[in-house]
Amino acid sequence: MLRTALRNVLAHKARLAMTVLAVSLGVAFVCGTLVFADSTAAAHRAAASKDFAGIAVTVTAKEPPPGTAADQQSSVLDDALTRKLAGVPGVAAVRPSVDGTAALNAADGTALRVRAGANPAAAYVPGKDGTDARYPLVEGRAPANGDELAVDAGTAAAGGFGIGDRVTLATDGPAVTKRLVGVATTTDTRVTAGGTLALFDTATAQQLFAAPGRYTGIDLTAAPGTDQFELSRRVTAVLPADRAEATAGAAQAERQAVLVDTLTRGYQKLPTVFAGVSLFIGSFLVVNTFGMLVARRTREIALLRAIGASRRQVARAVLAEAFLVGLVASAAGFLFGLGIASVLPDLLGTGGRPLPHGPLVIGPRPVTAALVVGVGVTLLAAWLPSRRAAKVAPVEAMRAAERPPSAARSRVRGAVGLALLVLGAGLLVSLSGAKDASEENLRSAMLGCAVFVVALIVLAPLLAVPVIRLAGRLTGRFGITGRLARENALRDPRRTAATAATLVISTALVTGLAVVGNSTGQALDRQAAAGLGADYVIGSRTTTTGIDPAAVPRVAATPGVRTASAVTDSVLFIGGSVREVSGVDPGTVDDVMRLDFVSGSDRDLGPGRIALSSTTARESGLSTGSRVDARIGRNQDLTGYTVVGVYRDNPTAHDALAARSEVQQYAFLPRSVQRILVRTHPDAISRTTEARLRSAVGNSPLLKVQDRPALVREAAGTMGDLLTVMYGMLALGAVIGALGIVNTLAMSVTERTREIGALRALGMDRAGIRWMIRQEAVTVAAFGTLLGMAGGLFGAWAVGSLANGAMEQYALVPPWGTLLLVLLVSLAIGAVAAAVPARRAAALSPLEAVARD
């Protein structure tokens, strides 16, 4: 039987190649993702090891205890401690360092790659040879005074900087400009992963990040033969235990590698999604291929049964074929995966800067995954066809054609499909009124969508007849070829349904994501500017920096500005929950926010008086005039507040409003504001006003000035990943769907050799044969696409109700243009996939075809 299985694989290698390719796609993404993750992690660690090469121990200040000033705590890292550490046995050299963060503007004035943890800054500390080994200079010289700086080569290229240019930057205060005097290189993984680097002379760095004569760290080099962990213990013994600590260089490198790995971990999710989708869709192609092979070899299997093969042996033979196919698919997918892993760092690089490169790390995980996934998926998908093959009776050898499914089997299929349809639809309908996007409801919605789509696939053979007959009215207009294409598609509804299954799944996924994505994107657009009466919003790019209150009067004095209202954001602990509170100026808030008060007003805001959103008031059981104990920000004591108003939920105002003076007193960033809402005069020129506002806040790269359209674009940008996933799944579904159509039509042409020969003998030319096969493929593609779209639209409607609970502005808005494009692409896939089978059918000689058995 094993020899028989091998012979069958070799006999159908062209058709099974399509199955191998489909499974290989999924295996390739799985293995590529695993190899990419392992290789990137190794590259991060290798780069981090270079950063700390030669550093045995790093001494840093401990976090200050409550009530201790940070500058007092860091004062221990000074020249006196540096000299003391130089005398520790085993220390070969001591190198003090000053590190912090600095955000830069590009040459065109736009912020350059500002994000948390990705904008390190440091002092350039020359050694005895006058150079800093951590930052080798490739152009210019090292900064020598407070008006100079150097950057790394990647930052210089991204920012469009040249030696002698003035560079605008900010640390945690107002923006300043310095002259670029040098360009260096670095292996710092925070920078190579897409960040920026700024270098200053030691005195300037101390002024910015520590204090004059103080450092943020001291790096120690070990003498030959000294273990760094033993040296760390010796250094710890001489440090003030409550003010400084020592960390081995290897541990520092590992920490930094883990940090960068965390920042880039999201890059690994997208290939994993594609892997799951391609494997799921590809499994249906495996089922379809083996099902058709078993059906076509019914007489052969019956003869095997007649000469003594048992049912178990027949089933094992089919599974052995699947095992061989899965093994080849695993090997091919693994090789494809290595190619994917090698190009992912360049494709997923941030801002044109690739992720760290290094040799591919091929561990046991990707190899095991390739075998388990490729062979496992193929065997699971071939299990049903193997059972069907085992049920073939010896008497089948005497039948000239395959028996159609019995009425009893059709009734069972219909009952099972209907039960699944009711279960899936019922689950989705039950969630339609939930309006609660909790994790439990989302899991239930995903389960309901999966059950609903499976139900459509089970019912597809029964739905194929009415749907294709309806679609056949269009193909029938193309004459006899159109009518023959329709009848060929209806000849075996099971085969037609199995062929269309891949398109049903991919189209349902794409349609559902497209509808939810479009609806959510428009809701975010509306929400971005909802409740906002201002024309511009000035805010911080990071959560760790605020806006200097001194900038507020400068903004207010800007030509074209009518009102500038500062807002301090913090948290409000009220009724056992944590809410967002906005500290506003009661005299100007009505001019920059669109507040719709249900009761009370904002005119009474002041010390001890707050206003609440409708949701916060309802969930806290409060109303206008109520008294409540709450606390704001870092205030440790509860304070009694009077609710002076309740307003409809407003994303600009957040959950509560209070006087800015009170919120600012207890905010986590003292003496700062988080937003400045700007209302301009109607005749103000937008571009000129925006430039003046940027100038009013010092052109700081830490701050952003956005008008209402910019806020909408920023909100819409959150849908980018979803759209990437959507179009990626559409492409995968298209490829695998095309493979399925090619497989089906190729087998169909072989089975209908005599029929095609008869048509040729009756006068149909080769062009007519090709046109008939193409119309059949388009009919199958249209059936799968329409069925998938119906499932996707229904699922999007149900899931949309949960999104409506998370954002009031959500409304179901199908992207009709995208859906039409999906339909046209699917039809085009059917036409393209039919090219080879159609050409093969047209090439048949009428006499040879009629004479063939």
Side-chain angles (χ1 to χ4, degrees):
M1 295 303 292
L2 289 177
R3 287 196 297 272
T4 301
L6 180 59
R7 179 183 62 80
N8 286 328
V9 170
L10 295 176
H12 303 98
K13 53 182 178 292
R15 294 165 192 162
L16 291 175
M18 304 293 180
T19 304
V20 169
L21 181 57
V23 177
S24 296
L25 288 175
V27 175
F29 280 111
V30 171
C31 295
T33 302
L34 293 175
V35 172
F36 166 69
D38 293 341
S39 303
T40 304
H44 287 157
R45 285 173 172 78
S49 297
K50 290 181 181 179
D51 292 342
F52 294 91
I55 299 177
V57 178
T58 296
V59 177
T60 56
K62 286 186 175 181
E63 288 293 326
T68 303
D71 56 351
Q72 179 182 349
Q73 183 72 8
S74 63
S75 63
V76 67
L77 302 181
D78 55 11
D79 291 328
L81 181 62
T82 301
R83 290 190 294 269
K84 184 177 181 180
L85 293 174
V88 174
V91 173
V94 179
R95 179 187 180 279
S97 61
V98 187
D99 300 303
T101 61
L104 288 75
N105 274 343
D108 61 2
T110 59
L112 187 63
R113 297 170 176 164
V114 180
R115 59 191 182 99
N119 306 108
Y124 186 93
V125 182
K128 294 180 180 179
D129 60 352
T131 64
D132 190 334
R134 291 201 303 174
Y135 309 113
L137 290 169
V138 294
E139 187 178 358
R141 58 176 177 82
N145 57 60
D147 188 50
E148 298 177 346
L149 88 156
V151 298
D152 71 290
T155 300
F161 302 136
I163 298 297
D165 289 349
R166 302 295 295 183
V167 179
T168 301
L169 61 101
T171 53
D172 59 353
V176 296
T177 60
K178 297 183 183 297
R179 187 165 60 91
L180 183 66
V181 296
V183 176
T185 59
T186 180
T187 56
D188 190 327
T189 48
R190 295 170 297 175
V191 181
T192 57
T196 61
L197 173 67
L199 301 173
F200 308 94
D201 66 287
T202 300
T204 302
Q206 287 177 330
Q207 184 179 2
L208 291 172
F209 309 124
R214 305 294 187 259
Y215 306 101
T216 58
I218 303 175
D219 298 327
L220 309 178
T221 302
T226 303
D227 179 74
Q228 62 177 239
F229 293 99
E230 174 60 28
L231 183 60
S232 178
R233 286 191 288 271
R234 296 176 190 172
V235 170
T236 300
V238 302
L239 293 175
D242 60 335
R243 301 175 66 187
E245 60 182 348
T247 306
Q252 283 283 89
E254 182 66 21
R255 286 181 187 177
Q256 183 162 321
V258 170
L259 170 64
V260 178
D261 184 59
T262 301
L263 292 174
T264 58
R265 189 171 297 165
Y267 298 138
Q268 302 168 16
K269 295 180 180 179
L270 205 57
T272 305
V273 172
F274 290 157
V277 172
S278 57
L279 285 172
F280 182 63
I281 300 176
S283 63
F284 284 87
L285 178 57
V286 176
V287 173
N288 192 22
T289 300
F290 277 93
M292 288 188 296
L293 288 175
V294 167
R296 186 159 179 249
R297 285 156 42 196
T298 298
R299 296 183 66 183
E300 174 188 330
I301 295 172
L303 286 173
L304 290 174
R305 295 277 286 114
I307 62 176
S310 66
R311 289 186 174 184
R312 180 173 297 180
Q313 286 177 314
V314 171
R316 286 178 177 175
V318 175
L319 291 177
E321 293 180 42
F323 175 80
L324 293 173
V325 170
L327 199 61
V328 174
S330 297
F334 182 76
L335 295 177
F336 291 161
L338 295 182
I340 291 174
S342 65
V343 301
L344 278 178
D346 292 322
L347 294 177
L348 300 178
T350 304
R353 179 178 288 180
L355 296 173
H357 276 277
L360 292 180
V361 177
I362 305 174
R365 282 199 314 161
V367 177
T368 304
L371 292 173
V372 171
V373 171
V375 176
V377 167
T378 310
L379 286 176
L380 286 175
W383 180 70
L384 284 176
S386 71
R387 291 194 61 193
R388 192 179 305 150
K391 292 180 180 179
V392 175
V395 72
E396 296 288 340
M398 294 183 294
R399 297 185 183 273
E402 179 190 2
R403 285 188 305 171
S406 65
R409 182 178 296 179
S410 297
R411 285 195 296 269
V412 170
R413 173 186 285 271
V416 171
L418 187 60
L420 290 174
L421 188 69
V422 171
L423 177 62
L427 186 57
L428 291 174
V429 171
S430 67
L431 293 171
S432 61
K435 295 187 181 297
D436 178 13
S438 64
E439 185 176 348
E440 181 180 355
N441 282 344
L442 287 175
R443 283 199 299 266
S444 299
M446 292 175 63
L447 176 62
C449 290
V451 172
F452 189 80
V453 172
V454 170
L456 290 179
I457 294 173
V458 174
L459 291 173
L462 305 178
L463 297 173
V465 175
V467 174
I468 291 178
R469 287 200 183 280
L470 181 62
R473 295 182 179 180
L474 296 177
T475 57
R477 297 186 177 183
F478 293 100
I480 186 63
T481 57
R483 289 194 293 274
L484 287 173
R486 179 189 62 195
E487 295 305 319
N488 288 334
L490 290 172
R491 175 177 299 182
D492 189 345
R494 288 183 305 170
R495 176 181 297 179
T496 298
T499 305
T502 54
L503 288 175
V504 171
I505 298 169
S506 60
T507 305
L509 287 170
V510 171
T511 299
L513 281 176
V515 174
V516 172
N518 184 67
S519 302
T520 304
Q522 293 199 20
L524 288 173
D525 291 351
R526 292 189 291 270
Q527 181 174 292
L532 181 64
D535 299 302
Y536 292 92
V537 176
I538 302 174
S540 176
R541 296 183 185 274
T542 67
T543 58
T544 57
T545 57
I547 305 173
D548 184 0
V552 178
R554 295 198 301 270
V555 171
T558 301
V561 171
R562 188 174 80 181
T563 305
S565 182
V567 180
T568 297
D569 295 319
S570 189
V571 294
L572 175 70
F573 299 89
I574 181 172
S577 61
V578 182
R579 305 285 182 173
E580 290 182 282
V581 60
S582 298
V584 299
D585 296 324
T588 59
V589 65
D590 285 335
D591 203 27
V592 294
M593 289 187 187
R594 294 172 180 169
L595 296 169
D596 183 8
F597 273 84
V598 177
S599 60
S601 71
D602 54 19
R603 290 190 296 272
D604 296 325
L605 289 176
R609 297 191 295 274
I610 60 175
L612 302 177
S613 68
S614 298
T615 299
T616 303
R618 182 179 65 253
E619 294 179 354
S620 303
L622 300 172
S623 60
T624 300
S626 299
R627 291 281 298 175
V628 62
D629 290 333
R631 62 186 180 90
I632 295 175
R634 55 189 175 85
N635 185 11
Q636 299 299 313
D637 301 322
L638 289 174
T639 302
Y641 288 96
T642 299
V643 179
V644 298
V646 176
Y647 55 91
R648 298 188 189 278
D649 290 4
N650 187 314
T652 304
H654 294 156
D655 302 313
L657 289 174
R660 180 164 66 93
S661 57
E662 186 162 11
V663 176
Q664 198 167 340
Q665 180 181 359
Y666 300 112
F668 291 107
L669 294 175
R671 300 180 301 279
S672 70
V673 298
Q674 278 64 57
R675 292 177 288 163
I676 303 177
L677 307 182
V678 181
R679 184 75 176 271
T680 61
H681 292 290
D683 56 348
I685 301 175
S686 58
R687 291 186 178 179
T688 304
T689 302
E690 183 174 342
R692 289 172 176 171
L693 291 175
R694 294 184 186 280
S695 178
V697 293
N699 289 315
S700 173
L702 294 173
L703 303 180
K704 53 186 177 181
V705 179
Q706 296 174 293
D707 57 11
R708 296 170 68 89
L711 289 170
V712 170
R713 287 194 300 272
E714 184 179 65
T718 60
M719 302 306 298
D721 290 341
L722 180 61
L723 293 176
T724 301
V725 172
M726 182 188 75
Y727 291 119
M729 287 192 295
L730 176 60
L732 283 175
V735 171
I736 299 175
L739 295 177
I741 293 175
V742 170
N743 252 3
T744 301
L745 290 180
M747 292 187 181
S748 178
V749 167
T750 302
E751 291 178 357
R752 288 151 47 194
T753 298
R754 297 187 64 185
E755 174 189 324
I756 294 172
L759 291 174
R760 293 278 286 116
L762 291 173
M764 184 175 288
D765 58 11
R766 293 184 175 182
I769 296 292
R770 288 195 296 268
W771 182 228
M772 179 186 70
I773 299 296
R774 287 196 181 98
Q775 288 185 83
E776 181 181 348
V778 171
T779 300
V780 174
F783 168 66
T785 301
L786 292 175
L787 200 61
M789 279 188 171
L793 284 169
F794 183 76
W797 168 78
V799 174
S801 65
L802 302 182
N804 183 255
M807 56 180 75
E808 288 189 354
Q809 291 81 4
Y810 184 90
L812 193 68
V813 184
W816 299 114
T818 301
L819 298 183
L820 178 60
L821 178 62
V822 170
L823 177 61
L824 294 177
V825 167
S826 296
L827 297 181
I829 289 168
V832 172
V836 174
R839 188 163 56 249
R840 180 181 173 187
L844 290 174
S845 169
L847 294 178
E848 292 179 2
V850 173
R852 186 175 298 182
D853 185 10

